[in-house]
Amino acid sequence: MSKMSIARLGKELYTGEKSFDFVGRRMVWYAASAVVLVAVILGVSIQGINLGIDFTGGTRYTVTVAQADQKLADDLRTAVGETAVEAADGATVRTAGGSSIVIETKAIPNGSEADSDLLGAITETADVARDDVSRTGIGPSWGERVASKAGLALGIFLVGVVLFIWIYFREWKMSVAAVVALLHDVVITVGVYAIVGFEVTPATVTGFLTILGYSLYDTVVVFDKVKENTRNLAGKKQTYASAANLAINQTLVRSINTSIIGLLPVVAILYVSTVQLGTSALKDISLVLFVGMAVGTYSSIFIATPLLVHLKSREKDVLDAEKRAAARMKEADKYAAVPVFDEGMAASDEEPDELREAGSDDLHEAGVSRGTSSNSSAMGRGRNTPAQQREVSDSGAAGRPQPKRQSRSKRK
């Protein structure tokens, strides 16, 4: 699609010339989200979440080498996996800077046989001395503190969101709709992490908090337009649902463009960290950003605003606006059967049945005059030109010649 086409589409969506019915089809969006939520919940319950050693506890080996590259990291991953150490199954191996490689496993007792076997495989593969490998034990208490702090930060964030939207928009139902959209994004993102099997690390938690802010930002922009369109609803010829749907269409192009621009660098980071670097903290945070930003855009368009309209559908002013709109539609249908005469139509001396049945007041309001006769030279729409009785002649009352009635083209 060319730049001019996008600009034209944006203008037509903003003015209402074109419109996508997001609000009217909200049950379709609810059903789609419900299916996705059920799928991700089943994925979490069956496969579980792959928590990193920062949350579960484990052992971290840091190998200092002359040049840390991905090939050496892959060789170490293979060597560690081939040992008989059960705790080393599924070990995480990643580069850290240009001269270090980090190997993370489940908890291995210091000085045990498993510890010695693993150190032997590492030193042999990396061709380094035993002193070049440092060992660090990570207890589960550290992960518990990280999880508790993340939960506290999430709780403070949600409370702040509710209060901010309530104060700014003076509408608690907007707060409810925004929080539901946020929870929708979090659950889907967690489910994707569980299904894909990526490890949850502190970087993942940082990504979660980031996507909450992004999703909220897009939702607030749409809600601000909803507030603008529904201000003084009693004096407008729109229902609350149509005004809210117009707000989504007016911000649609902006939301899509912002999301694409935001997702492009995240996709690049995800590709590099997954394909070229293998396991790394960049992979953890880039996946959560990608999924969260995409789902956040979806929820701000298809969930938050339609849910807001649903919550407000029983309010008195909203119901009054719908009654006024229904009355206007009924009044418009009153004259739907009145024919409109056009140039070139044959004039008839007989009144159509529709005109005979309609009252004189109704016809006058519709712009149709009830004539007794018409001629074939009738001009204008919806009128019958009376036949000319006689030619206009001079009148002596004015004391001067009077002009004759002629067409403009024949006047001199």
Side-chain angles (χ1 to χ4, degrees):
M1 184 179 290
S2 64
K3 182 178 179 181
M4 292 296 295
S5 300
I6 296 176
R8 188 182 303 112
L9 176 61
K11 180 181 177 182
E12 292 174 348
L13 290 174
Y14 193 87
T15 57
E17 297 176 38
K18 285 187 177 180
S19 179
F20 299 104
D21 191 9
F22 296 105
V23 173
R25 298 179 180 178
R26 58 179 177 266
M27 298 308 297
V28 176
W29 320 134
Y30 294 166
S33 293
V35 171
V36 175
L37 288 172
V38 169
V40 297
I41 291 174
L42 287 176
V44 172
S45 59
I46 295 173
Q47 191 164 341
I49 300 175
N50 183 19
L51 296 175
I53 64 171
D54 293 292
F55 294 98
T56 60
T59 304
R60 177 178 294 156
Y61 299 90
T62 304
V63 186
T64 303
V65 294
Q67 180 63 39
D69 54 19
Q70 190 59 40
K71 182 180 182 306
L72 180 56
D74 294 338
D75 292 342
L76 284 171
R77 183 182 297 108
T78 302
V80 169
E82 290 177 351
T83 61
V85 180
E86 185 177 351
D89 292 340
T92 300
V93 182
R94 56 183 172 84
T95 59
S99 59
S100 297
I101 296 179
V102 177
I103 303 170
E104 296 176 340
T105 67
K106 296 178 182 179
I108 299 176
N110 188 14
S112 62
E113 182 180 354
D115 185 42
S116 300
D117 292 343
L118 199 58
L119 284 172
I122 293 173
T123 55
E124 182 180 352
T125 304
D127 193 17
V128 295
R130 183 68 64 96
D131 295 338
D132 292 328
V133 181
S134 62
R135 181 188 186 282
T136 305
I138 301 175
S141 59
W142 163 252
E144 293 175 359
R145 287 198 299 270
V146 172
S148 63
K149 296 296 182 182
L152 178 62
L154 178 61
I156 294 174
F157 178 82
L158 292 178
V159 172
V161 166
V162 172
L163 293 178
F164 169 76
I165 296 180
W166 195 349
I167 294 172
Y168 179 74
F169 293 107
R170 302 181 184 278
E171 177 60 73
W172 65 269
K173 292 180 180 179
M174 284 188 173
S175 299
V176 173
V179 171
V180 170
L182 286 176
L183 296 177
H184 168 274
D185 301 342
V186 171
V187 172
I188 291 181
T189 306
V190 171
V192 170
Y193 246 83
I195 294 172
V196 174
F198 276 27
E199 190 177 52
V200 177
T201 64
T204 307
V205 176
T206 304
F208 272 116
L209 297 179
T210 303
I211 65 170
L212 293 180
Y214 181 88
S215 176
L216 176 66
Y217 169 74
D218 207 32
T219 302
V220 168
V221 170
V222 181
F223 279 1
D224 192 58
K225 201 63 184 177
V226 172
K227 180 183 178 182
E228 178 183 337
N229 290 352
T230 57
R231 187 180 291 113
N232 191 21
L233 189 62
K236 295 184 177 181
K237 297 181 180 180
Q238 278 184 313
T239 63
Y240 189 92
S242 61
N245 192 73
L246 177 61
I248 301 177
N249 282 274
Q250 288 175 329
T251 57
L252 180 62
V253 174
R254 174 212 159 276
S255 297
I256 294 176
N257 290 340
T258 304
S259 300
I260 292 175
I261 293 173
L263 285 173
L264 285 177
V266 175
V267 170
I269 296 173
L270 181 61
Y271 172 79
V272 171
S273 60
T274 304
V275 177
Q276 297 184 353
L277 299 181
T279 304
S280 66
L282 287 177
K283 184 181 72 173
D284 302 332
I285 193 171
S286 59
L287 177 64
V288 71
L289 287 176
F290 176 79
V291 177
M293 290 172 67
V295 176
T297 303
Y298 169 84
S299 66
S300 64
I301 297 173
F302 296 94
I303 301 298
T305 305
L307 180 59
L308 172 64
V309 175
H310 199 161
L311 293 173
K312 291 181 68 66
S313 60
R314 295 301 177 185
E315 292 186 3
K316 183 179 183 302
D317 55 343
V318 175
L319 293 174
D320 291 342
E322 292 178 354
K323 290 179 181 178
R324 288 192 297 269
R328 283 192 295 269
M329 290 294 295
K330 186 178 181 180
E331 188 70 17
D333 291 339
K334 183 177 181 180
Y335 305 110
V338 177
V340 177
F341 294 93
D342 200 352
E343 296 182 13
M345 293 179 61
S348 175
D349 291 336
E350 297 183 2
E351 268 188 324
D353 295 338
E354 294 86 346
L355 295 179
R356 281 198 298 269
E357 293 176 0
S360 60
D361 293 338
D362 295 341
L363 294 175
H364 177 69
E365 293 178 3
V368 180
S369 60
R370 184 190 293 274
T372 57
S373 64
S374 61
N375 57 19
S376 59
S377 61
M379 302 295 291
R381 295 176 180 269
R383 294 187 178 184
N384 294 327
T385 304
Q388 185 173 325
Q389 301 297 327
R390 62 183 178 83
E391 187 178 357
V392 178
S393 60
D394 292 341
S395 173
R400 58 185 175 83
Q402 298 295 310
K404 293 185 178 181
R405 182 178 299 170
Q406 293 180 338
S407 63
R408 187 183 296 251
S409 61
K410 295 180 180 180
R411 296 176 190 172
K412 294 183 180 180

